[in-house]
Amino acid sequence: MPVYNLKINGTAHSIEADPDTPLLWVLRDHLNLVGTKYGCGIGQCGACTVHVDGTATRSCLLKVSMVEAMEITTIEGLSEDGSHPVQIAWKEIDVPQCGYCQAGQIMSASAFLNTNANPSKEDIRDAMSGNLCRCASYNRIEKAIETASSKLS
């Protein structure tokens, strides 16, 4: 079985895995980075969102063989102590209900705010439309992103 050298949350890892193994399962099963969640397995819900070279990416769709030499950031690596402005805003607004989708929501929101630090409500809705929340916390998610953007400006 091949060995892949991955850089995840700033740390180098050598992972032995089948080339077709989704990054999601490498993170969860090989590295015990379980903040990234399995939601649908077909890239439709956003629960498995991580950053790959700074871009929000569905880890369930990305094969481990495709990510060598790329910088991967999971929810655990967004900040060591939960001090990222999006994480702070999530707490201030009390976004989660069940919490299952929140890591993916936060990862999508933080990547989005890196490209648009002063978004309109429509910009936020468009950017976050690929992340599903079964508890329908969308209004609080939008408010938290607005709050985080004000902290970034």
Side-chain angles (χ1 to χ4, degrees), residues 9-111:
N9 299 332
T11 302
H13 299 274
S14 292
I15 304 296
E16 187 176 315
D18 185 279
D20 292 333
T21 303
L23 176 60
L24 170 64
W25 299 118
V26 169
L27 296 172
R28 292 184 60 80
D29 295 345
H30 293 259
L31 299 173
N32 201 34
L33 294 171
V34 295
T36 304
K37 304 296 186 204
Y38 172 80
C40 67
I42 58 172
Q44 297 295 306
C45 73
C48 69
T49 302
V50 298
H51 296 171
V52 177
D53 290 339
T55 301
T57 306
R58 306 299 195 246
S59 64
C60 71
L61 296 178
L62 202 56
K63 297 175 184 179
V64 67
S65 58
M66 300 168 66
V67 295
E68 275 195 303
M70 295 179 174
E71 180 70 37
I72 300 161
T73 305
T74 68
I75 188 71
E76 293 91 347
L78 191 58
S79 71
E80 289 184 19
D81 58 359
S83 62
H84 187 281
V86 173
Q87 291 171 308
I88 291 169
W90 240 250
K91 292 175 199 169
E92 285 178 13
I93 305 301
D94 196 22
V95 172
Q97 285 186 36
C98 83
Y100 196 82
C101 71
Q102 297 309 305
Q105 299 275 1
I106 289 169
M107 295 306 285
S108 290
S110 60

Side-chain angles (χ1 to χ4, degrees), residues 84-138:
H84 187 281
V86 173
Q87 291 171 308
I88 291 169
W90 240 250
K91 292 175 199 169
E92 285 178 13
I93 305 301
D94 196 22
V95 172
Q97 285 186 36
C98 83
Y100 196 82
C101 71
Q102 297 309 305
Q105 299 275 1
I106 289 169
M107 295 306 285
S108 290
S110 60
F112 164 64
L113 289 175
N114 284 338
T115 62
N116 185 348
N118 191 22
S120 68
K121 282 186 182 287
E122 186 174 313
D123 293 337
I124 294 168
R125 287 183 184 140
D126 286 346
M128 299 302 292
S129 65
N131 287 78
L132 302 179
C133 175
R134 291 182 183 199
C135 301
S137 295
Y138 298 113

